[in-house]
Amino acid sequence: MKKHPVNREIASTYFKSGRKQTMVAIFGVMLGMAVYMFMNSMNKGFARSANDSFFKAVPHLRVYSDTQISEPIAPDSDAKSLIINPGITPTSSRINNPEQLIELFKKQADVAVVVPQVGMSVFYNNGQSQMAGRTVGFKPAQGNEMFQIKSFMVQGAYDDLDRVPNAIIIGAGIADKMSVETGDRITVTSPKGVQRLMTIVGIFKTNNSYEDKSKSYMNIRTAQQLQREGDSYVTDINVNFTDFDLAMERSADFTALSGYKAEDWQEANATFVAGSRMRTIVITFVSLTLLVVSCFGIYTILNMTVSQKINDIAILKAIGFEGKDVIRIFVYQALTIGIIGIVLGILAALVLVNLLQKVYIGADIGYFPIRFEPWVFLRGSMIGLAITFLAGYIPARKAAKVDPVAIFRK
Amino acid sequence: MYVLEVENIRKKFYDPVEFEVLKGISFGVKKGEFLTLVGKSGCGKSTLLYVLSTMDTDFSGKLMIDGEDVSKLSIDRLAQIRNAKIGFIFQFHYLLGEFTCLRNVMIPALRLGLKSEEEIESLAMQKLEILGLADQALKPASKLSGGQQQRVAIARALINDPLIIMGDEPTGNLDTRNTQIVFDILKDLAHEYQQTIIAVTHDLDFARASDRTIELTDGAIL
Ligand SMILES: Nc1ncnc2c1ncn2[C@@H]1O[C@H](COP(=O)(O)OP(=O)(O)O)[C@@H](O)[C@H]1O
Ligand SMILES: [Mg+2]
């Protein structure tokens, strides 16, 4: 035989009898919930959009040969003073045995893409005009896989990097300054003094004007030739993980593994990271405060119910309800209000997200960068439930302590 | 063998001034006995009944119910004992106003959970019929007259077939006609159904109809 849930029956009767205040409390939870989910989804969307464009220029992890301070030649074993002369040793920026390292990196867990590249400072020349910049050479297919370059090309065909000899893709800022377009030629001068006439096969535009004014991409072979090096010459190995958040914890592994400096994107871009962290902190704080305040309605209504029903509580205790039954009755009531509010809040947030998704912003952002974020919604619901529980539990505990004799004597 | 027995019950109040309201009370109630407690107003009848009902645990002495010493039990355990073994009728008709009469009668049995909801419902209907309230069963309790509410409270006290029914001036707040009705019901319960009853009253007719009357004076049995 199933035991009748009498506590729940009493809770739902109380829930129905205070209709007007119940509605107000539900509405409060709904509002707080909707705002919480909406604000946090928006933050997630912004972060994703910023990261997307950010990782079009920066790999999750960059392994390169760092200039180093010279070490003492012999260890200071017997605590005798050794004369040392610390200074920067002139190591070359090349990575030895790149093939072997690449194979090793590819075998590591969570590694998505490994792209070796040759990077160098260059001068671009077209007639009288000259600009300084940076060029990056890689295998075109690999480079696109890592940086999604095709997605921000505004002219030309990316794949021509492979087809056209001495092909180059330049930033829109360079093209403007030097007044060139796809099909034109410019001279590129390397640090080794090699000059080469190159064909512009495409122009890209990011939302970072500094990149656009300096950066160019070419085939790795061409870059190696500009440095008068053979085809094993590589200056950086870029690594992308399945999740960019992994980079920080894995960088030490990769340093140990390769013997070169492995720098994660956070380390390389502290300002960017700090900015987005600050935005997240502010939004989390504001939205959480709103959520907590919105659940106060439940606390108020339950406090009121407990005082109104003090006779009922005394009767229930007299006929054999225990303290924990009384607590359950009022916590059920609070949870009912909370769950209805949370469900309505989720619906309202979904509607808001859907509406904003259709708003066109323009530039390379396109549509408003917001979408349904399951984790934000789940976390919001959990927090809402926890606060609701507390908002019910505190008055309920007071109700459980009611002394029936004191009530009957009045 | 007593269903309820007290030994040297003492209780003090400290507010506003210290005074001993129960001064060493001892007696026993046999199964099927109809006992009335009488005494002047303020002599401690209600206080004693709250002790007997297990709702008041702040006393010294020994309280035995159904052969078990309950004086030292936890309040949760006492709640279970009240639920299963004691039916209480108050002076004021204390019902849950937002529930129907039927539901009010059913709640202690639903709490006990020994029978299915359907069984409990038909049992509750039966009790309401005995008390002449079958036609009021589905009305909210707050819509009934005082006399009717007190009869619903009696039905509720009976629903779990309690060992003892306790009443604190169960007719104290009723008009003459309703007093007579409630009276007759309690007498019937005692004499025809051998229900053990302990009732506080100041009505001498009522006391006369009982098997035994205990008179309290200033917190002691005369
Ligand atoms: N909570 C309390 N605090 C202090 N004194 C009380 C309290 N409850 C009752 N009393 C006093 O105890 C005495 C007995 O009260 P009560 O048992 O209600 O008497 P009766 O029911 O016989 O009229 C009275 O003098 C009353 O004023
Ligand atoms: Mg009294």
Side-chain angles (χ1 to χ4, degrees), chain A residues 409, chain B residues 40-47 49-50 91 168-169 200 202:
Chain A
R409 278 198 182 278
Chain B
K40 289 206 187 71
S41 176
C43 70
K45 305 182 294 293
S46 296
T47 307
L49 202 68
Y50 287 130
Q91 175 171 6
D168 188 358
E169 307 201 23
V200 168
H202 53 237

Side-chain angles (χ1 to χ4, degrees), chain A residues 9 17 317 322 409, chain B residues 47 80 82 98 103 115:
Chain A
E9 179 183 334
S17 68
K317 289 193 129 186
E322 296 168 29
R409 278 198 182 278
Chain B
T47 307
Q80 290 163 13
R82 280 202 296 283
E98 280 149 339
R103 232 48 202 171
K115 297 189 174 83

